[in-house]
Amino acid sequence: MKLVSRMILLLATSCAQGVFAQTPLSAEEMSLVQSHLLANISTGQHIFQKPYGDVVFTSMPGAVLAASQAPTLHFSQDYFFHWMRDAALTMQATLLIPDVSTDIYKNYVLFEESAQHKISVPNEETLGQPKFNIDSTIWEGDWARPQNDGPAQRAIAFIKIAARLRAQGEQDFVDQHILPAIKTDLDYIASHWQVPTFDLWEEICDTDHFYAKMVQRKSLILGALEMARYNDTVRVRLYDARAQSIEQSLAAHWQPDLGYYTETTHHLSEKGGGLDVSVLLGALHGTLSDTDKWLADEKMQSTVAALRAAFSGIYPINQGHIDGTTLIGRYPSDYYDGDHFNYGNPWVLATNALAEYDYRLALYYTKLGKINVTATNLSFFQQLDHALIAAPTVIAASQPEFSALIAAFIARGDKTLQTVKAYQTTGDDGTRMHFSEQIDKLSGEGVSAPDLSWGYASFITAMEARRKAVSP
Ligand code: NOJ
């Protein structure tokens, strides 16, 4: 056993919480992340305006900017929109921020209710529209349509918001606005999950996207539970049946020869159709509980090992991380950089997903009380601690190796977040902890969309997973 492993083992068996008292983001840093995220959400007082040709769009309260800026000198893309997917993920993270006003959630619901009722041009469906102007009208420019993970993410956000509002005595608002909106989205998902759709990176049209199906499955299962509250047995049956069909279809994404789940089933060598971080994001965003079997699925773990291995060599800044931390991007052959499409970079939200996965596995195994190392996930565990895991085995909670691995998961998650944090920038307002969508693979500078809401959301969900992992 390597010395370092032995040290982790000793520390872990003595006092897990004490060892991890030093959090990768301090309370002050977390509150900066939270305020940068909230700054992208419009309210009645916090209004955005967007000049566009001859018109000026004014935000409807509840609009969530994907990022804080329209195009600039080194950023040719326009993220000054309400993207359905990004907005839903941002809202789900907002629910984890303490003391957020209920109005933020109500505004979001009313914005989406208004967006759902807009009429699309012929041959397009409003529910599959990926992005909306900040006044809730549809953005009708050229784009990858439909993107059917969006309504699923939105339904998940609605269901979580409904639970929050109900607990605050807002049943009428839930019944009047949220319930019909959930049904609209989930009836659409139930009838469209096999229809060709673009992936979450908006590049490949296919019938089978791992990420989309994971979040659609989750939305339908949660939706069925929600419908059961209202005795809507027809929908309960429909949503449950569709969720089961989706679950069955996921197995086809496993490629035994490659050793990973591919994002699509038909475009494996196109852009992100093969090895892609969206599979990991599917596990994080699409699981239903801390003990959902998809988290510790051996094939998922093999996929994550393949991602880490694939990215470790392609970004020069990774060579400078003395603790071996690997920053990862969307998929290895990516060349989207938000500007001239020169080369791909590590993404904040993708790398933070690695940290979140480590924390969630620490909690998963702590609850399960054993760790199964198999021939399929061996490489994943060897990446974590090569000296400790030599061959497939079952490790019981009573064995010292068990606590050592739990500690190693948390320690690696911490190193990952600390490394991402080191690439923070200072905003024009003088505050720290600003991040762009990507980190330049050569210089380490923030590139592409500034202040990406989803990037901030990924810090919040990773730190929430950490909180649960250290105090299970
Ligand atoms: C591009 C990303 O690929 C997509 O996933 C995201 O929704 C939009 N940017 C907006 O952030």
Side-chain angles (χ1 to χ4, degrees), residues 378-413:
L378 183 62
S379 56
F380 175 78
F381 280 97
Q382 289 195 323
Q383 278 178 352
L384 183 66
D385 192 328
H386 196 267
L388 202 59
I389 301 293
T393 177
V394 178
I395 303 169
S398 55
Q399 293 174 244
E401 289 85 354
F402 183 87
S403 331
L405 285 175
I406 300 296
F409 275 125
I410 298 174
R412 186 171 66 177

Side-chain angles (χ1 to χ4, degrees), residues 66 79 83 85-86 200-202 330 347 437 452 454:
Y79 281 49
W83 244 276
R85 163 191 322 107
D86 296 51
L200 81 171
W201 308 137
E202 317 183 293
R330 300 190 299 181
W347 281 46
E437 179 187 71
L452 188 83
W454 183 0

Side-chain angles (χ1 to χ4, degrees), residues 320-429:
H321 302 145
I322 44 171
D323 61 6
T325 297
T326 299
L327 301 183
I328 66 167
R330 300 190 299 181
Y331 52 90
S333 63
D334 196 7
Y335 56 88
Y336 172 66
D337 57 14
D339 199 16
H340 295 305
F341 297 76
N342 289 333
Y343 54 79
N345 294 303
W347 281 46
V348 169
L349 69 90
T351 309
N352 286 352
L354 282 182
E356 180 170 339
Y357 190 54
D358 278 339
Y359 296 140
R360 290 189 64 183
L361 283 180
L363 180 65
Y364 179 96
Y365 286 124
T366 304
K367 289 191 175 231
L368 185 69
K370 69 172 183 198
I371 296 176
N372 245 345
V373 181
T374 66
T376 304
N377 65 18
L378 183 62
S379 56
F380 175 78
F381 280 97
Q382 289 195 323
Q383 278 178 352
L384 183 66
D385 192 328
H386 196 267
L388 202 59
I389 301 293
T393 177
V394 178
I395 303 169
S398 55
Q399 293 174 244
E401 289 85 354
F402 183 87
S403 331
L405 285 175
I406 300 296
F409 275 125
I410 298 174
R412 186 171 66 177
D414 286 358
K415 278 198 275 180
T416 304
L417 289 186
Q418 269 152 4
T419 306
V420 175
K421 186 176 94 173
Y423 292 101
Q424 65 178 287
T425 57
T426 301
D428 294 341
D429 59 356

Side-chain angles (χ1 to χ4, degrees), residues 162-163 166 171 174 179 223-232 236:
R166 246 186 231 119
Q171 185 69 46
V174 173
L179 183 65
L225 294 171
E226 195 66 23
M227 294 307 131
R229 284 177 170 274
Y230 294 89
N231 301 317
D232 187 342
V236 171

